[in-house]
Amino acid sequence: MHALLSLCAVAAGALFVGQAEAQSVKIVGIGASTCQFFLREINGKPEVEKNFFAWAQGYMSGLLLRAPPGKDEDLDLEPTNYPLLKQAEFLRNFCTRNPDADFPDGVNDLYRTLRAPPS
């Protein structure tokens, strides 16, 4: 009986862990918006675009912090071949091409681009 209770406890614990991993996190802040909103808000307002870009840098820093050991450890979010102004342009271009996407989708795309080896 004790073995059966132990087995049930282990199974319940595994189920709980699986459910916890499946939960999504809520992304908040100025960058947790659509590309349409981003494009509308930055139009002629460089200071607003800086706020979005600062959010994007923080978001990518969070991705680095949450990466498993050994993954992206040497990733530079400001490599010489992809300076910050070019990264901001990347996000504008992404949202212009994908107005129905979410701004964090563009940030994820930028992150993948920074992970790619320089060409």
Side-chain angles (χ1 to χ4, degrees):
M1 182 67 154
H2 181 66
L4 181 60
L5 286 175
S6 295
L7 183 60
C8 288
V10 169
L15 179 62
F16 176 75
V17 169
Q19 288 175 340
E21 290 175 0
Q23 292 177 347
S24 63
V25 291
K26 182 174 180 165
I27 299 171
V28 296
I30 192 170
S33 57
T34 65
C35 277
Q36 288 178 3
F37 180 80
F38 164 72
L39 292 171
R40 186 172 58 246
E41 290 299 304
I42 68 165
N43 190 17
K45 297 178 254 176
E47 68 283 353
V48 174
E49 186 172 6
K50 284 181 189 177
N51 291 337
F52 274 93
F53 189 70
W55 183 93
Q57 285 285 300
Y59 179 86
M60 291 190 296
S61 294
L63 293 175
L64 279 173
L65 288 171
R66 300 247 339 177
K71 183 171 184 173
D72 296 343
E73 286 180 350
D74 296 326
L75 180 60
D76 183 359
L77 294 178
E78 191 182 359
T80 55
N81 66 323
Y82 223 93
L84 297 180
L85 290 176
K86 187 174 178 182
Q87 292 180 40
E89 179 183 15
F90 179 99
L91 293 172
R92 281 192 308 276
N93 290 339
F94 175 90
C95 282
T96 299
R97 287 189 320 272
N98 305 284
D100 294 329
D102 290 327
F103 183 73
D105 296 334
V107 180
N108 286 329
D109 224 29
L110 174 58
Y111 186 83
R112 283 189 290 276
T113 299
L114 293 173
R115 286 175 69 199
S119 51

